[in-house]
Amino acid sequence: MNAIVTQMIILFIIVIIGYFLSKKKMMDADFDRKLSVLVINVTCPSLILSSVMGDTLPDKGFILPLLVVGFATYIVLIGGAFLLPRILPVKAADRGIYSFMLAFGNVGFIGYPIVASIFGANAVFYACILNFPSTLLIFVFGTLFVSGGEGKVRFDWRTLYCPAMIASYLSILIVVTGWIPPKVLSTPFVLLGNITVPAALLIVGSSIAQVPIWRMFSNTAIYLMSALRLMLVPLLILYLSRLCRVEETIANINVVLAAMPVASYGTLFCIQYGKGEVIMAEGTFITTLLSVISIPLLTMFL
């Protein structure tokens, strides 16, 4: 329990550092935008590739069941993301932002270390495969939610061959073939991928600095979304997993991944499309703060 809380506090501190860097004028909107482009197009794809470039790969026999569970989970999450914002007290023009926050958690940044803290280092392999659907779908539905305004979205086929998607395809290929890349090839991707977590969290903190503190803690809809994102939806997924008799370890890891705070990429996408940045920053900040308590609580149900 202490290890989980400690990990959440460490990541939250980086967000706070980004906040103060912005207040000290060391980060600004133009810098955040350029850094966001670097993260989305270079360091994020490197992180995806590096996640399957270790010395050991999981049993191929688990790949298909894990992918089935992962995709089934995102059917529930994305389905809920389309429906639930309609019952929240938010403007129609903001529903896409809330849809993103409900559908996509901070799996790649926070999920892996939390899974390792709870289930052990070996469980990260399972988390990586369970996360493939998130990696694929966040650059499809995620961008649709953020860019779609009042629910009027148009599918952009270019998202299927953006850098992160290409990295996802290559990662699946590496896992399926069992190829272990040499260190001279994997190390550069590991080093670049390691930039992703602090860079994205600094951007979140810098974006939060643009939001008045009183507003951040007075948005009722954000708290309702947080309750759904952090506890209610994960508990629904846990119930469905047990109903479908999903193997216990896989089900538990999947539920923890579903309980992550709002994905940091939401802020990056909002900056990229020039809309919803304030609401996304509020949601990211509040859910990250509350997750320090909610994730340890959720583990009591497993």
Side-chain angles (χ1 to χ4, degrees):
M1 183 72 72
N2 289 337
I4 302 169
V5 174
T6 299
Q7 185 64 46
M8 301 305 300
I9 292 173
I10 289 170
L11 296 172
F12 190 73
I13 286 173
I14 300 177
V15 175
I16 298 301
I17 291 172
Y19 177 91
F20 284 107
L21 288 176
S22 180
K23 290 297 185 182
K24 293 295 184 180
K25 308 301 181 183
M26 297 175 67
M27 297 181 71
D28 56 25
D30 185 56
F31 179 85
D32 292 352
R33 188 172 295 105
K34 291 179 179 178
L35 185 57
S36 298
V37 172
L38 178 69
V39 169
I40 291 174
N41 293 302
V42 179
T43 72
C44 168
S46 297
L47 179 66
I48 294 168
L49 284 169
S50 66
S51 69
V52 293
M53 286 186 169
D55 294 328
T56 308
L57 291 174
D59 186 340
K60 295 178 183 179
F62 285 104
I63 294 175
L64 184 57
L66 286 165
L67 286 174
V68 170
V69 171
F71 276 105
T73 298
Y74 274 91
I75 289 175
V76 175
L77 290 174
I78 292 174
F82 275 109
L83 298 174
L84 292 174
R86 298 180 181 277
I87 65 174
L88 294 177
V90 300
K91 298 177 182 178
D94 295 332
R95 286 175 183 167
I97 305 300
Y98 282 87
S99 291
F100 180 97
M101 292 191 288
L102 287 167
F104 298 104
N106 207 340
V107 176
F109 294 171
I110 300 177
Y112 292 158
I114 292 300
V115 164
S117 298
I118 299 173
F119 303 101
N122 291 337
V124 175
F125 290 122
Y126 296 95
C128 177
I129 299 175
L130 285 167
N131 190 44
F132 277 138
S134 173
T135 303
L136 294 167
L137 297 175
I138 196 170
F139 284 92
V140 179
F141 286 97
T143 54
L144 290 177
F145 285 144
V146 171
S147 65
E150 301 178 356
K152 298 177 181 179
V153 297
R154 288 183 292 180
F155 183 78
D156 187 352
W157 289 99
R158 289 176 296 180
T159 59
L160 293 178
Y161 51 86
C162 68
M165 293 293 287
I166 292 173
S168 299
Y169 303 145
L170 292 175
S171 297
I172 293 174
L173 184 62
I174 290 172
V175 173
V176 170
T177 60
W179 178 59
I180 298 179
K183 291 292 183 182
V184 69
L185 181 61
S186 63
T187 301
F189 289 106
V190 172
L191 293 174
L192 284 170
N194 288 342
I195 299 172
T196 306
V197 175
L201 295 176
L202 286 174
I203 293 169
V204 170
S206 180
S207 299
I208 289 170
Q210 312 304 317
V211 184
I213 293 294
W214 64 267
R215 171 174 174 171
M216 196 176 303
F217 289 98
S218 62
N219 189 337
T220 303
I222 290 292
Y223 287 100
L224 294 174
M225 180 278 300
S226 298
L228 291 166
R229 164 82 257 172
L230 299 176
M231 289 298 294
L232 299 181
V233 172
L235 287 174
L236 171 62
I237 291 173
L238 177 61
Y239 170 76
L240 293 175
S241 297
R242 290 177 176 174
L243 188 65
C244 297
R245 298 183 179 179
V246 176
E247 197 276 330
E248 184 177 1
T249 300
I250 293 176
N252 290 344
I253 294 172
N254 190 49
V255 168
V256 170
L257 293 179
M260 293 297 108
V262 173
S264 300
Y265 287 122
T267 301
L268 308 187
F269 290 151
C270 286
I271 292 173
Q272 190 175 46
Y273 288 100
K275 62 192 309 181
E277 182 180 346
V278 171
I279 295 173
M280 190 71 76
E282 290 175 356
T284 304
F285 179 86
I286 294 298
T287 54
T288 301
L289 177 63
L290 293 178
S291 66
V292 176
I293 300 172
S294 66
I295 292 176
L297 284 176
L298 184 67
T299 60
M300 297 173 61
F301 292 92
L302 303 180

